Amino acid sequence: MQQSAERLPNTPALGGKGNSLDRIRVLLRVAAATLGYPAGSGPIPYVQSGVAFVLTGAALELEQRARASRSPVVVADVEAVEALTRDKPRFVNETPIRFLAILPMGSGDNSPVQLLTLVDSRPRSIDTANRLAMIAIETFYPANPENPEAAAVRLRRDL
């Protein structure tokens, strides 16, 4: 599946995260990515890239767990999780979601937690799913701020 290269606006309010999210989605070869603050029953995306999707039921519970624990939740194959299979997470075009990664983003214990959510219609191996999650996190918060493209270089090397 070839990913669209559409661009999100790089507005000052987003701090360039629209472009980063778009790059993450394309580089990691996922159909969609959102970044938002949790509110109510799920996060309100304020930046979105790719195909629109909505999480329901057990997937929302995973979101809440990721937010509360500030720990990533990565599901390599949604069909392998009975609770998720019952809820049938889908893209708005009715294509089933098979890969799901919910990654809390925050710079400290007292900072608000943003959730970076990556989804795709293709499942991943557990190793690949975890590697994609770590690369996504490192792209937003690079260990070396002098070189924010380091994660992209590693992605091309590792995949």
Side-chain angles (χ1 to χ4, degrees), residues 57-77:
L60 286 177
E61 292 172 20
L62 292 178
E63 267 184 353
Q64 293 305 319
R65 183 186 322 161
R67 181 189 58 78
S69 68
R70 291 181 176 247
S71 298
V73 174
V74 180
V75 181
D77 187 357

Side-chain angles (χ1 to χ4, degrees), residues 79-120:
E79 284 192 6
V81 179
E82 184 180 342
L84 290 172
T85 304
R86 272 194 316 268
D87 291 334
K88 300 185 188 320
R90 296 185 180 280
F91 294 96
V92 294
N93 65 7
E94 296 299 317
T95 301
I97 291 173
R98 294 287 304 273
F99 166 72
L100 172 64
I102 304 167
L103 313 169
M105 301 282 159
S107 55
D109 289 339
N110 295 323
S111 66
V113 176
Q114 301 173 41
L115 296 178
L116 171 62
T117 303
L118 307 170
V119 298
D120 198 68

Side-chain angles (χ1 to χ4, degrees), residues 5-85:
E6 76 265 8
R7 305 297 295 168
L8 295 175
N10 184 11
T11 63
L14 298 178
K17 289 187 178 171
N19 288 333
S20 295
L21 188 63
D22 207 33
R23 278 196 313 269
I24 286 171
R25 183 184 60 79
V26 172
L27 288 170
L28 299 183
R29 299 181 189 119
V30 294
T34 62
L35 180 66
Y37 289 101
S41 63
I44 299 171
Y46 71 90
V47 184
Q48 182 171 345
S49 178
V51 181
F53 66 94
V54 177
L55 300 179
T56 60
L60 286 177
E61 292 172 20
L62 292 178
E63 267 184 353
Q64 293 305 319
R65 183 186 322 161
R67 181 189 58 78
S69 68
R70 291 181 176 247
S71 298
V73 174
V74 180
V75 181
D77 187 357
V78 167
E79 284 192 6
V81 179
E82 184 180 342
L84 290 172
T85 304

